[in-house]
Amino acid sequence: MASIDLSLQSLPGREELAVLVVSPASQAGFTAPLPTALLESHAAWRRRFVHHYGSREGGLPAAVLDDYSDQLIRGLRQWFEHERWLPLHRALRLQPGLPLRLRIAPELRALEELPWETLPLDRPLWRLPPQDPPQPVAVARARRARLLLVVGHEQDLDLQAEVAELEDLARRGRQPLRILRGPAAGPQALQAVLAEEPGWDALLFLGHGDASPERGGRLQLGDGSWISGASLEGPLRRAVDRGLSLVLLHCCLGIDLAHRALAAGVAWVQVFRERVPDGAAAEALRRLLRELQAGHSFAQAQQRAAQTLEQPPWSGCRGLLSIYCHPDAPPYRWPRPSEVLRRRELLLLGGAAAAAYGIGLGQGWDRRSRHGSRVWRMAIYQGSPQYRRLLVGQVPERLAQRLATLTEGRFRLELVDRSALSSSDILGLVNEGRSVQCGYVDVYYDKVLLPLIFAKAVPFGLTPREQTAWLWYTRKGDDRPFHQTVYPRLAVDGVRLDQLVSIPLTLTGGQMGGWFKREVNGAEDLRGLRMRIPGLGADVLNAFGVQTDFAINAGRVITADQIVPRLRDGRLDAAEWIGPYDDELLGLPSVARFYYTPGWWEPSTTNELMVSRRALAELPADLRLALQTACAETFLWTRREYDLRNIEALRRLRADGVQLRRFPPTLMRAFAQESERQLREQERQDPERFGYVAAEWRRFRTRIRDVIAVTQFSPEEGQP
């Protein structure tokens, strides 16, 4: 689903937010000021809102509450119009009408509670969960919409009018409706109904709710007991497997419940973020149901339901209603009974015609669908929210968006987090080509895949220009780039990787040498140092007495989200990541001040999309070309974005007092000598795989550098 995605993260130790904007046409990262005054205005509004609607003595005058509500909305708009937000406004202007999806990190809960829906965006605003859910969304079922209505404890509530309207809609629309209500409607009854066949398309709850971030919110059921969102997550997940895709929570304080529902795989959730007057909730519900029954999209129906909260007598209620969606949620439209009937009639008529002509209708339709569209599962090796907001972590989503755009949705990638597996295990799955058809892995993190590092990065190896040529370099007589010819020589669990094909996907360029808590003036300063660094670079530093990932982290690489905490609490003395932009986003400047260059272990880092040869061969020619084009665009995008963003990031780091240092020349020579020794040792130990690639790589390096020496312009030659 095409959208503009806006993500907000905190920056440790700074009164600023890290902001990322991703649209089908562009991407931008920047910082925005933390709106301290706006949060205070929100707290002031909330106190008066509760007093107005919760006081038995008549409460605060409506005019006073309206004034505080206006101040809050005005303050939100002023903050949003700050010049720092220009990249977002540019994306909104270039793509009018495209939905804006908002993701706010868990530590910024106060920002999540703001009425973002009141901003003048001229487009739907949907909220994403703070973290990507582990469960996929429901598969749409071709049936009349089945609605489960759960009526909570009715003390101090009058819900009869809403229940009666739903019953009337069900009768007129001939849509199945099940009502769970009264003293028998406790936790066990709810869980049992959610598990019933053939399942439910939508779940509506009417009653009392409460916030509880630790327990995922709470609902008070008909028997007076409370059930937590955490307890509901499992039953909801099973209901999702049977088609549940919409949850309407008409209760107070629904943010935590929305998070849990999305974690279970529910596609769309509507909630009231704050406490809400009973009458306002009822009026919004009636409007929503009527709009859905009229055939309007869920987005249109929700916007019109929200408009009821702007009308008297509901002072201060503007912007209370929010839509949360699963990142993979398709557009939602309530099935109309007449449409379902027409589909059924067409199938019957089509089946009769097929029988008359001796044609298999199902077989023909299946053939057209198979040739017309594809959905591939793409395994990714790091799925933490912190990693996915970095440029390198955005590559899978960027590729998926470009591929969907190029094919008008006919070829989609479903991202599957496989961070619990090793990179070699993921490549084994891709090689098999059944559960996943492609993967985005990092061979640096797996010793089994060491012969593949020549397509990643080699200490003191190729420059970005040379590496790009190497990835496409093909020897005479080969049917694929040379570095891929080593795949059949590798095996995972005894199975040769002879069904792997790779397509260049990322190019981060030259990297930095890492963040250190103390200066490094010579080899003696390295002894005993604990440093986060993977791959052959780690092996080289081990020879200088540095303790690296496998030694200090039980044989596993220290991942992106673990680096800053370990530097802060003293478990690490140094760490390398990529370069100024991503390092700043990761928060490394807050825990170490000495920033060394160059990153000699990764002089030109590239990654590839690893693809199942079988799956690729089954693609129609146009979809195969679209995949190659989307990968090429993403490859160029990463190279461009890192260069451009590092310019400003390096300027900010210098201004913030980061101490830039170069490794001393004598130490660089020692590093180079040890790197060459390590490469030769690997060639000696594994001549059939590592040595096979290394020998051709060395020949290629000599030839490409001869050409570059002849053709490359040197800026120094033009200096007076």
Side-chain angles (χ1 to χ4, degrees), residues 524-580:
E524 65 279 0
D525 296 320
L526 295 173
R527 295 191 191 95
L529 202 72
R530 293 163 300 179
M531 183 175 181
R532 185 272 176 197
I533 176 174
L536 279 182
D539 294 339
V540 172
L541 289 175
N542 290 158
F544 290 84
V546 177
Q547 300 177 56
T548 56
D549 296 43
F550 287 175
I552 60 181
N553 194 39
R556 294 178 63 87
V557 170
I558 297 171
T559 55
D561 56 326
Q562 299 172 332
I563 298 174
V564 169
R566 288 172 181 251
L567 281 168
R568 182 177 289 118
D569 64 21
R571 286 178 290 170
L572 285 176
D573 306 306
E576 67 86 36
W577 185 245
I578 291 180

Side-chain angles (χ1 to χ4, degrees), residues 135-179:
Q135 298 297 321
V137 296
V139 177
R141 304 294 178 94
R143 65 187 182 199
R144 290 193 177 104
R146 294 173 53 84
L147 173 62
L148 173 61
L149 170 61
V150 180
V151 181
H153 194 49
E154 296 181 64
Q155 183 178 356
D156 299 326
L157 292 177
D158 182 7
L159 303 174
Q160 186 54 41
E162 293 98 296
V163 174
E165 181 147 358
L166 282 162
E167 290 174 328
D168 183 59
L169 286 173
R171 281 193 299 270
R172 288 189 286 112
R174 302 188 304 281
Q175 291 174 338
L177 171 66
R178 173 75 178 276
I179 301 178

